[in-house]
Amino acid sequence: FTSSSYTLGRPFYSLYSSSKAAVVNFVQALSQEWSDAGIRVNCINPERTLTEMRVKNFGMEDPKTLLTAKEVAEASIATLLSDYSGQVIDVRIKK
C-alpha cells in the first residue's frame, strides 16, 4: 500500500512521503525481477479512507469524502485477481 504522498514530498511528512515513494519503486522493481517466475506485484494507492487511525489523527470528517475500508478491500481483491504487475492502482471515491 502507498498513498498520494509518494508523488510529492510534504513538509513535516518527510519520512512518511519518502517511505511511500520507496514502496512504489520497490514494487515496480520486484515486478520486473519476478516476471519470469510469473509472480505479479502491485501497489494499492487509496484516497483518504475512513479508518480508526484516520479518525484518531484527523478527527471526524464527512464520510461522503472518504473511501470505506470495504471499497479498498474490494479493489485490492480485484487487483489480486487481475493480470496486472508493476502497477500503482489508484482507488478513488466513485462520483
Side-chain angles (χ1 to χ4, degrees), residues 30-80:
L30 286 180
S31 73
Q32 293 177 37
E33 291 176 19
W34 294 351
S35 66
D36 289 344
I39 298 171
R40 294 175 285 109
V41 186
N42 295 290
C43 193
I44 304 297
N45 179 33
E47 285 186 324
R48 299 173 312 136
T49 305
L50 181 57
T51 63
E52 287 181 31
M53 184 177 79
R54 182 159 186 95
V55 171
K56 181 178 177 184
N57 287 308
F58 298 100
M60 276 307 295
E61 300 170 277
D62 182 353
K64 293 179 208 157
T65 67
L66 303 171
L67 288 166
T68 65
K70 181 180 179 186
E71 290 170 311
V72 176
E74 288 172 345
S76 299
I77 291 168
T79 301
L80 287 169

Side-chain angles (χ1 to χ4, degrees), residues 2-3 5-7 16-26:
T2 191
S3 81
S5 293
Y6 86 91
T7 63
Y16 182 80
S17 295
S18 61
S19 68
K20 294 303 184 177
V23 167
V24 170
N25 280 257
F26 187 58

